[in-house]
Amino acid sequence: MSIPFSNTHYRIPQGFGNLLEGLTREILREQPDNIPAFAAAYFENLLERREKTNFDPAEWGTKVDDCFYNNHAFKESSEEDKEKEENAAVKIQAAFRGHLAREEVKKMKKVDLQEEKTQENN
């Protein structure tokens, strides 16, 4: 008896996704006829390189993922942080509106000066 659907969720081991990405990239590059044999050779080569250089791409990928997912940018902000961000946004918007208003005043002054010059010439 088989169960077609299950609520079971498996946890992917750290570094495993990186290994599969590397294998997938090489399969797409090489386009081998026998993918299982290619995968076996790929992992054999990876093991040999790991033993020679002490560099484990799975471990390295895990560290990169940890740095990415444990970054403070992904953490929830407190109410105080949200208020600071909102105040900063208001200040930036006010400064920009002030800039636009000053530019408008400059344009108005130019128009007034041009009008005065044309009136003096007449």
Side-chain angles (χ1 to χ4, degrees):
M1 179 175 164
S2 66
I3 302 172
F5 299 102
S6 173
N7 287 339
T8 306
H9 296 284
Y10 295 106
R11 187 177 161 276
I12 298 173
Q14 290 185 332
F16 186 66
N18 294 315
L19 288 174
L20 290 181
E21 285 177 17
L23 173 64
T24 303
R25 189 178 317 109
E26 292 303 315
I27 288 173
L28 292 173
R29 265 191 212 144
E30 299 290 327
Q31 298 289 314
D33 293 329
N34 188 348
I35 293 176
F38 181 85
Y42 173 80
F43 285 120
E44 187 67 34
N45 183 17
L46 203 60
L47 282 172
E48 288 174 10
R49 269 193 284 154
R50 185 177 74 178
E51 289 172 3
K52 289 179 184 175
T53 63
N54 287 332
F55 174 74
D56 186 2
E59 184 180 331
W60 179 78
T62 300
K63 288 179 182 176
V64 170
D65 285 347
D66 283 347
C67 288
F68 181 74
Y69 290 111
N70 291 328
N71 189 343
H72 294 291
F74 292 98
K75 293 183 180 176
E76 288 292 319
S77 299
S78 68
E79 287 298 319
E80 184 179 319
D81 290 341
K82 289 179 183 177
E83 187 175 327
K84 285 180 183 178
E85 291 171 2
E86 200 169 301
N87 289 338
V90 168
K91 286 180 182 179
I92 292 168
Q93 291 169 355
F96 183 71
R97 287 188 192 112
H99 167 74
L100 292 178
R102 288 187 296 277
E103 291 296 316
E104 188 65 32
V105 168
K106 284 181 187 177
K107 287 179 188 176
M108 291 169 59
K109 284 184 179 180
K110 279 185 182 180
V111 169
D112 287 345
L113 286 173
Q114 288 175 352
E115 287 177 0
E116 285 179 12
K117 285 183 183 179
T118 55
Q119 287 177 356
E120 286 176 3
N121 291 337
N122 291 335

